[in-house]
Amino acid sequence: MRTGTLVGTTRPAGLSAREAQIMTLIAAGHSNGQIAASLVLAEKTVKNHVNRIYAKLGVGSRSAAISQWALSAGAPAEATHN
């Protein structure tokens, strides 16, 4: 079992290291398919991670997740409204 963390990835909102990695890619504008290819995962696996991210952040959409992620990571509030 792997228990290490990803170097350079902050983990606000109680996300796992993998979820934080995926949320960072979502916030950068990547689709599930692009994330899957980048991380060598099945797209279904990425979708499962995204659904868990939504649940942990208490949101129901990609844009809401990005806003919540930015706020929990300490981004200025105006940066989340552009």
Side-chain angles (χ1 to χ4, degrees):
M1 180 168 80
R2 293 184 293 182
T3 59
T5 60
L6 300 170
V7 176
T9 303
T10 58
R11 294 175 25 182
L15 300 184
S16 71
R18 178 63 94 181
E19 291 165 346
Q21 182 182 33
I22 289 172
M23 191 59 232
T24 299
L25 293 170
I26 289 170
H30 297 269
S31 69
N32 288 357
Q34 291 168 323
I35 294 168
S38 173
L39 300 179
V40 191
L41 297 171
E43 193 167 347
K44 174 68 172 144
T45 300
V46 173
K47 183 177 178 182
N48 289 337
H49 282 301
V50 170
N51 287 330
R52 282 194 302 275
I53 290 167
Y54 288 179
K56 287 183 179 182
L57 294 178
V59 300
S61 71
R62 212 168 185 91
S63 60
I66 292 167
S67 293
Q68 186 63 35
W69 174 252
L71 289 173
S72 66
E78 60 273 5
T80 63
H81 298 293
N82 290 335

